[in-house]
Amino acid sequence: MSTYAQTVRSSAPQLADVVPYDPKYLPADAFLSANENPRDVDEELRRQIMRALREVSFNRYPDPLAHGLREMIAEANGVSQDQVLIGNGGDELLFDIALAWGGPGRTFLNMPPTFSVYENNAQLTNTTIVSIPRDEAFDIDEAAVLKRVSEGDIDYVIVTSPNNPTGRLANEQFIIELLESTDALVVVDEAYFEFSRKTIRPYLERFENLLILRTFSKAFSLAGVRVGYVLGAPRVIRELIKVRQPYSVDAVSQVVAQVVYENRSQFEPGISAIIAERTRVFNELKRIPKVVAYPSDANYILFRVPQAERVWQALYDRGILVRDLSGAPYLEGCLRTTIGTEEQNTAFLDALRDVLAQLVREQFPLQSQSESLKA
Ligand SMILES: *Cc1c(COP(=O)(O)O)cnc(C)c1O
């Protein structure tokens, strides 16, 4: 029974089936659940950021389009400023895309399993969702996507490359065919491109319907600061500016991102280390019985295990927090580990081996007993 003198009427009907986003960030020794960079911005760079922050006027509204940062990103990518838009994380820009290209009577083509934010945004904006699921190996069903798009009613598509949470790049040839075959807005989400070292950027000149999404949250260690950007045709950027919150990128974030971007070459050794560790972790995972690991071009690896929920909990009990995706559609039995530091990855692998060995012992108590007798 409510104790309020007055209750509130229901929210908009499209919210009825929406579950609030809960990343389940729990305290842990090894935080391997959110695809962040394990190394924070280093001391010298932090000092440089602090010096720059001293110049910021807190009483003034920020530059709506973050011109300093915008210019830097435009120049680094060989495009003009009107082809760049900065957002409060990539997530804000994804929502802006749904507002501008989705809506009632409009249609979004999704390729699950992929980043859940896309579907959520479509739902919130009353956009119709058409899903073309990936195959067993989590590769895009290219023929089915091209065929569906040829029907002409799709307004926007998001190709995640590398795909989160499954890990692989999309085929460049497929993206080009898609761009050629439709005038729908084709968003290529390159949140992890610094780890794949592949981008579709060279095609910006040729395709007005291509929009590339990037973020400072992963390779550049700024998940806490909330900065992302898109690269696209001036006409597309202009539409996104119409729907965005004018002051979404605050003055502090603009300064932090500028200093980091100016010094982005300093992040290169950390990125290379993550790429090297990705290979090591993948090879180790492949050697663990009962584990199926999926190859990755990003800074995380998806893997399938029996009794995934129990394995997740047992890893957590050992101080290792990974992402449990086993309840998500198409991802039964799947967990995802972010590539951390060498020590964190080793702790994760040791814990996983330990947990799975224990499960096997529970399942075959007599067999392992006789094995231990032999030993
Ligand atoms: C992390 C991520 C983003 C953007 O994250 P922000 O922190 O909001 O910049 C976008 N797309 C995918 C697939 C991601 O994993």
Side-chain angles (χ1 to χ4, degrees):
M1 274 293 275
S2 167
T3 55
Y4 288 114
Q6 177 62 282
T7 55
V8 64
R9 68 172 62 186
S10 297
S11 66
Q14 69 269 25
L15 302 195
D17 299 330
V18 176
V19 181
Y21 187 75
D22 174 13
K24 301 205 172 60
Y25 293 161
L26 302 163
D29 299 332
F31 206 75
L32 302 177
S33 75
N35 300 344
E36 298 143 328
N37 193 321
R39 295 168 193 87
D40 202 345
V41 174
D42 78 26
E43 276 308 315
E44 169 45 33
L45 212 48
R46 287 177 93 92
R47 276 194 289 275
Q48 214 175 310
I49 289 167
M50 296 310 165
R51 281 196 294 275
L53 283 177
R54 269 186 225 131
E55 312 297 317
V56 174
S57 311
F58 293 141
N59 62 324
R60 302 292 176 199
Y61 280 99
D63 176 350
L65 294 175
H67 278 99
L69 188 56
R70 194 185 196 196
E71 196 178 319
M72 240 183 250
I73 289 172
E75 199 190 311
N77 286 281
V79 298
S80 58
Q81 273 203 55
D82 59 0
Q83 292 180 272
V84 179
L85 181 62
I86 316 292
N88 186 295
D91 283 356
E92 185 205 9
L93 295 159
L94 286 168
F95 191 65
D96 291 342
I97 290 163
L99 280 175
W101 261 265
R106 310 269 299 184
T107 306
F108 159 59
L109 189 146
N110 199 27
M111 302 168 206
T114 187
F115 197 36
S116 60
V117 168
Y118 311 148
E119 207 173 85
N120 234 42
N121 288 341
Q123 237 172 320
L124 294 179
T125 53
N126 275 314
T127 307
T128 301
I129 302 167
V130 167
S131 288
I132 308 277
R134 289 160 184 268
D135 67 16
E136 299 270 280
F138 299 127
D139 288 325
I140 293 169
D141 187 344
E142 299 178 354
V145 170
L146 291 169
K147 183 160 175 282
R148 185 60 187 79
V149 152
S150 73
E151 291 178 30
D153 61 329
I154 303 296
D155 296 295
Y156 73 103
V157 186
I158 304 180
V159 183
T160 322
S161 185
N163 188 44
N164 180 11
T166 61
R168 295 278 297 271
L169 278 162
N171 276 326
E172 186 175 292
Q173 206 44 51
F174 161 72
I175 299 175
I176 293 161
E177 253 181 88
L178 184 61
L179 286 161
E180 281 170 345
S181 69
T182 177
D183 65 353
L185 181 68
V186 176
V187 180
V188 179
D189 185 339
E190 294 189 349
Y192 300 96
F193 104 99
E194 291 89 353
F195 305 103
S196 70
R197 305 198 189 277
K198 288 250 164 58
T199 174
I200 198 76
R201 190 188 63 199
Y203 294 91
L204 279 175
E205 267 174 70
R206 204 165 124 203
F207 297 106
E208 191 181 38
N209 56 338
L210 170 61
L211 186 71
I212 298 172
L213 179 82
R214 305 247 183 95
T215 178
F216 281 71
S217 297
K218 313 292 167 38
F220 296 136
S221 303
L222 291 187
V225 176
R226 313 304 306 133
V227 182
Y229 62 97
V230 285
L231 306 173
R235 198 148 75 93
V236 173
I237 299 297
R238 198 166 169 270
E239 297 309 296
L240 295 175
I241 292 173
K242 291 182 188 174
V243 299
R244 72 184 289 267
Q245 299 292 311
Y247 300 115
S248 64
V249 188
D250 65 83
V252 173
S253 298
Q254 291 186 26
V255 165
V256 178
Q258 269 191 63
V259 175
V260 162
Y261 201 72
E262 270 169 356
N263 293 280
R264 62 190 178 284
S265 62
Q266 287 184 23
F267 289 79
E268 192 45 45
I271 293 169
S272 298
I274 287 168
I275 293 171
E277 277 291 286
R278 175 179 74 201
T279 304
R280 179 178 79 93
V281 173
F282 181 68
N283 289 334
E284 293 282 319
L285 281 174
K286 277 200 302 193
R287 293 174 46 203
I288 305 178
K290 312 262 184 223
V291 173
V292 178
Y294 295 89
S296 172
D297 300 300
N299 67 337
Y300 49 84
I301 295 176
L302 186 80
F303 60 99
R304 193 165 250 151
V305 282
Q307 304 190 55
E309 275 176 70
R310 275 190 67 193
V311 171
W312 179 89
Q313 183 64 49
L315 286 172
Y316 185 65
D317 293 342
R318 286 161 176 78
I320 315 286
L321 182 68
V322 298
R323 184 68 140 256
D324 180 9
L325 294 154
S326 62
Y330 311 100
L331 294 171
E332 191 180 89
C334 287
L335 305 178
R336 187 194 66 197
T337 186
T338 300
I339 304 300
T341 61
E342 192 183 333
E343 298 72 41
Q344 290 172 329
N345 300 330
T346 299
F348 156 72
L349 289 164
D350 288 346
L352 183 63
R353 275 187 282 258
D354 187 34
V355 167
L356 289 171
Q358 190 157 336
L359 279 188
V360 171
R361 274 197 301 278
E362 270 173 38
Q363 247 180 322
F364 307 103
L366 291 176
Q367 198 177 321
S368 51
Q369 222 172 44
S370 62
E371 267 168 26
S372 62
L373 285 177
K374 265 186 274 168

